[in-house]
Amino acid sequence: EINLMDELTLKGITEFYAFVEEKQKIHCLNTLVAKLQINQAIIFCNSAQRVELLARKITELGYSCYFIHARMRQDHRNRVFHDFKAGHCRNLVCTDLFTRGIDIQAVNVVINFDFPRNAETYLHRVGRSGRFGHLGLAISLVTEKDKELLCRIEKELGTMIRPVPKIVDKELYVSSPS
Amino acid sequence: VETSPSFTVPPDDVQEKVAFMFNNLTLQNLQKKADEILAMVQVQHLEWLAHYMVLRRISIEPNYHNLYVAYIELHRDGEFPFKVLSETYRNIKVLLQADKGDANFSDRSLLKNLGHWLGMFTLAKSRPVLQKDLAVKHLLLEAYVRGQQDMLYVVPFVTKVLESCGQKGCVFRPPNPWTMAILGVLVEIHGLPSIKLNLKFEIEVLCKNLSLELKDISTKGALANADKLRVMQLAAPGEPPATAT
């Protein structure tokens, strides 16, 4: 496999984490979606099963959401991707299937609902926002067991992932008027 | 953008609920979400809603302009579209009057977005852009007189506004004289020897979208007249240049 880590950068992307318990994750996601200004968002989970569960759950909560994972038929995946790109829906829940080489300009927020298992995955996921020199925001929900991994990934990528502040400055991820 | 005119801001929890709705608003769930938003926002907060939409959504999410037009049309309050429109003009003026710095790409793209929006919300629906709200032709002439830097802001903005004239059934489709007069100025700008390539390109794209050839658009020497005006103004110091807005 080709490692593209050197070519991807996290420039223009602001990274935060929120320390939560597993059962608080949905609540945390709700809070984020109420506080942030999202054009389109991608929400990552670590397994196809969790993708479907989460997508069902948040659809019930009134989210506009699609999901995509590797256990779906290719033509269905294509359809979902096409419609998401066309803006038919605001949020996409997915596995790491969706991390590579995909540019959707409107995506300004990436949420790691599950923390990725290694630095490369983190980089590829977070690189979904802020493409084309646009600004982006990446927020990872981190549980007790992810703590060490968070530190390690931060070190490996030479990046800084800070705790999410009460109010996220909109200047960081939407090019809004001053 | 400057602090806005007086309007009542709803409590934080309502603001968050509205943000949540907009974060999930799509053409599929439009009616449902629109009803939910309307149920939360009281009449005295409609100015705030218009302000929020223009500043936080329309100006930075050009990919959803269609959606926002549809949303506003669904709104039961007959005044709401006018509130959005006046908020749009207010934001455009603030941006046009702001310091046009060297590399302020953000203001430039906001202006383009608002221009695109303005065209969709007015011209495309055969509603005029009134001189008193925005003197489009004058704006171009003024930018020309003020120089290259101003043109970098104004020309792409104007081309975005006019893009909507190409809509089917729109009364502003060429050869509408209002549209043709502005296009004439744009063609003159296109012919300037010192004009930046990206501005030329914007003008060419517009003409292509309107199915016109540059050479078929008649010009009236508007820039030469503006030059004369400049000389006259230089001869009479102390006179501030006319502002277009």
Side-chain angles (χ1 to χ4, degrees), chain A residues 16-42:
Chain A
F16 292 120
Y17 70 85
F19 192 65
V20 292
E21 282 175 43
E22 184 63 40
K23 61 174 192 278
Q24 300 172 318
K25 278 184 173 179
I26 299 253
H27 178 73
C28 179
L29 185 66
N30 254 330
T31 312
L32 289 172
V33 176
K35 303 255 186 202
L36 299 176
Q37 183 174 326
I38 297 171
N39 189 335
Q40 285 191 293
I42 301 181

Side-chain angles (χ1 to χ4, degrees), chain A residues 33 35 37-38 62 91 178, chain B residues 1 16 23-24 33 56 68:
Chain A
V33 176
K35 303 255 186 202
Q37 183 174 326
I38 297 171
N91 304 292
S178 45
Chain B
V1 169
E16 283 184 10
N23 282 341
N24 286 293
K33 296 279 176 198
R56 294 281 166 223
Y68 296 140

Side-chain angles (χ1 to χ4, degrees), chain A residues 30 33-40 61-64 66 87-91 106 170 174-178, chain B residues 1 16 19-20 22-26 28-29 33 55-57 59-61 63-64 67-68 95 106 109-110:
Chain A
N30 254 330
V33 176
K35 303 255 186 202
L36 299 176
Q37 183 174 326
I38 297 171
N39 189 335
Q40 285 191 293
L61 291 168
Y63 284 61
S64 143
Y66 287 163
H88 294 334
C89 137
R90 294 277 193 159
N91 304 292
K170 293 202 165 50
V174 286
S175 38
S176 59
S178 45
Chain B
V1 169
E16 283 184 10
F20 184 92
F22 273 96
N23 282 341
N24 286 293
L25 189 70
T26 58
Q28 279 80 23
N29 62 21
K33 296 279 176 198
L55 192 73
R56 294 281 166 223
R57 297 293 175 173
S59 63
I60 32 199
E61 296 176 358
N63 54 326
Y64 281 121
L67 173 68
Y68 296 140
L95 286 166
S106 155
S109 73
L110 290 173

Side-chain angles (χ1 to χ4, degrees), chain A:
Chain A
E1 190 179 346
I2 306 160
N3 186 339
L4 294 169
M5 281 171 75
D6 294 337
E7 292 168 32
L8 267 176
T9 84
L10 296 177
K11 210 176 150 212
I13 297 169
T14 310
E15 301 157 81
F16 292 120
Y17 70 85
F19 192 65
V20 292
E21 282 175 43
E22 184 63 40
K23 61 174 192 278
Q24 300 172 318
K25 278 184 173 179
I26 299 253
H27 178 73
C28 179
L29 185 66
N30 254 330
T31 312
L32 289 172
V33 176
K35 303 255 186 202
L36 299 176
Q37 183 174 326
I38 297 171
N39 189 335
Q40 285 191 293
I42 301 181
I43 303 166
F44 285 103
C45 295
N46 282 352
S47 73
Q49 193 195 9
R50 280 178 63 85
V51 164
E52 290 203 15
L53 268 173
L54 179 64
R56 193 177 314 145
K57 185 84 193 161
I58 65 178
T59 303
E60 283 165 17
L61 291 168
Y63 284 61
S64 143
C65 113
Y66 287 163
F67 64 88
I68 197 168
H69 58 66
R71 298 212 320 242
M72 288 160 67
R73 272 168 47 189
Q74 186 62 42
D75 56 333
H76 288 172
R77 285 191 246 160
N78 291 350
R79 178 66 189 275
V80 169
F81 174 62
H82 173 270
D83 286 357
F84 180 67
K85 195 166 174 165
H88 294 334
C89 137
R90 294 277 193 159
N91 304 292
L92 183 70
V93 185
C94 64
T95 53
D96 292 306
L97 163 79
F98 200 63
T99 55
R100 301 208 175 201
I102 288 155
D103 287 343
I104 298 177
Q105 286 202 42
V107 174
N108 65 337
V109 174
V110 164
I111 295 172
N112 285 321
F113 191 79
D114 294 330
F115 199 65
R117 296 183 184 103
N118 59 57
E120 194 183 349
T121 308
Y122 179 88
L123 182 68
H124 279 284
R125 285 184 182 184
V126 167
R128 285 323 96 196
S129 72
R131 309 280 299 206
F132 292 104
H134 286 69
L135 301 174
L137 192 65
I139 299 183
S140 303
L141 308 193
V142 175
T143 60
E144 182 68 32
K145 67 178 170 41
D146 303 318
K147 258 163 64 182
E148 283 165 33
L149 194 55
L150 175 80
C151 296
R152 204 168 72 223
I153 287 182
E154 211 179 4
K155 211 176 288 166
E156 271 182 48
L157 297 176
T159 181
M160 189 142 85
I161 311 174
R162 284 169 299 153
V164 58
K166 264 215 153 55
I167 295 165
V168 179
D169 188 353
K170 293 202 165 50
E171 299 286 307
L172 293 174
Y173 65 103
V174 286
S175 38
S176 59
S178 45

